[in-house]
Amino acid sequence: MSLPNTSLSARKPAPIHRLDESVVNRIAAGEIIQRPSNALKELIENSLDAGATSITIAVKDGGLKLLQIQDNGHGIRKEDLAIVCERHTTSKLKVYEDLSTIQTYGFRGEALASISHVSHLTITTKQADSECAYRARYSDGHLMQEKPGGSSNPEPCAGNNGTIITAEDLFYNISSRKSALKNARNEYNSIFEVASRYAIHNSGVAFTCRKMDSVKADLNTQQGASVVNNIRQVFGFNAAECLVKVEHEDASTGAAFTGLVSNAAHIMHKSIFLLFINHRLVDNSQIKQAVETLYGSVMPKGSRPFVYLDLRIKPENVDVNVHPTKREVRFLHEDTIIGSI
């Protein structure tokens, strides 16, 4: 007696169907907002794009219970609150070709939309010429009622110039992701790392970061403090005192960089590498490996370097749209630029 053929090739193909929009949006949100620190990075960049000179971050349970950022930027127009959390709504570009000259952090219009699909999101914002602030709550990219039976329209309220964005119960609807991120200490450390690196790079902006249940802030930089002072606050006196300033401009590529790096005699057991390309915090394994290889030939055995690099490349030579979280970028003349560094 022959057995029924149950191989994959014998099965009828399942019909192709269009995914529901809510499923598509949640999948996309999970790619962009992988953990609370990803959400914070997007929100910090929004604040900087808004011209903020003061950014305050508050965190509860590693950002999973609450992640809040307050800035004193130019705020959001009341008229824009209706669509600000919809996917692909942005003030940064209009046509694809604008990407070649983009100089803002944001451009895809996905950050707030993604956060609203995986948390309970509230935005309170006020512009300088507005008589009052407006508060709006969002779910799945759309305005929602603050109370059952009430209106979903933004409500007038008291507030200072700028914007407060509060994301509560992050990943409440993605149980597997929330379970994987159950270590609140690790998540807070990742949040602090993102905030402190942007504080170091943006010395003209005051940054504060603290846990909700703590009176004292873990990060508290002052507006106008030098990059070295901010490094000292974050990484300590020893790291800051060994730094040497470097700078270079490559006429052939139009690229230039400035930075602060540890001298050859410095002894540190953990490598610290901060790379900003066109003011965006990014990873680049080729640059990091090249720098660490060079240091390995001159530093004491077992010691690791501190490197902060501010690399500026012509916008038309950089592709910022190669990674969902914009953590990586691609650029022309990579070998030449790495050789210069």
Side-chain angles (χ1 to χ4, degrees), residues 90-324:
T90 179
S91 62
K92 312 298 171 53
L93 79 166
K94 293 183 179 179
V95 296
Y96 182 81
E97 287 72 22
D98 289 343
L99 279 176
S100 64
T101 57
I102 198 78
Q103 296 191 41
T104 57
Y105 291 103
F107 55 88
R108 287 191 298 229
E110 290 187 309
L112 286 177
S114 296
I115 296 171
S116 78
H117 281 283
V118 294
S119 73
H120 300 118
L121 186 69
T122 304
I123 297 178
T124 304
T125 188
K126 181 181 181 297
Q127 294 193 297
D129 60 355
S130 178
E131 294 182 355
C132 66
Y134 290 91
R135 182 174 58 246
R137 299 185 67 195
Y138 297 87
S139 177
D140 295 332
H142 302 291
L143 287 166
M144 64 175 292
Q145 300 169 345
E146 188 156 354
K147 298 177 181 178
S151 171
S152 62
N153 292 328
E155 295 187 352
C157 63
N160 297 321
N161 293 343
T163 301
I164 304 172
I165 296 180
T166 306
E168 298 178 87
D169 303 318
L170 197 60
F171 303 123
Y172 74 95
N173 52 357
I174 307 180
S175 56
S176 58
R177 179 73 57 84
K178 192 168 185 177
S179 297
L181 301 174
K182 58 185 177 182
N183 191 320
R185 176 180 294 180
N186 287 347
E187 296 312 309
Y188 181 76
N189 289 341
S190 183
I191 284 171
F192 178 82
E193 180 177 306
V194 170
S196 62
R197 278 152 173 73
Y198 273 97
I200 288 170
H201 183 70
N202 295 276
S203 57
V205 180
F207 276 80
T208 301
C209 181
R210 68 176 182 86
K211 298 174 184 176
M212 288 290 289
D213 57 358
S214 176
V215 176
K216 184 179 179 182
D218 296 300
L219 176 68
N220 188 19
T221 65
Q222 303 301 309
Q223 182 182 352
S226 69
V227 173
V228 173
N229 283 339
N230 288 344
I231 290 174
R232 183 181 294 110
Q233 182 181 136
V234 175
F235 293 106
F237 179 84
N238 289 336
E241 294 309 303
C242 73
L243 298 177
V244 177
K245 184 177 181 180
V246 294
E247 54 185 339
H248 179 75
E249 185 170 352
D250 191 316
S252 65
T253 63
F257 70 85
T258 59
L260 291 164
V261 301
S262 53
N263 61 38
H266 176 62
I267 297 177
M268 189 166 63
H269 301 296
K270 180 181 178 182
S271 177
I272 298 174
F273 188 77
L274 285 69
L275 174 63
F276 287 81
I277 296 181
N278 292 355
H279 303 295
R280 191 185 302 278
L281 178 64
V282 297
D283 291 325
N284 186 290
S285 57
Q286 293 94 331
I287 294 178
K288 184 177 182 181
Q289 182 179 1
V291 170
E292 290 184 342
T293 299
L294 176 63
Y295 265 103
S297 65
V298 297
M299 294 193 81
K301 186 177 180 180
S303 187
R304 297 290 183 268
F306 178 99
V307 178
Y308 159 69
L309 286 177
D310 175 13
L311 177 58
R312 297 175 302 282
I313 304 173
K314 292 179 180 179
E316 61 267 27
N317 290 342
V318 182
D319 186 355
V320 296
N321 194 33
V322 297
H323 193 273

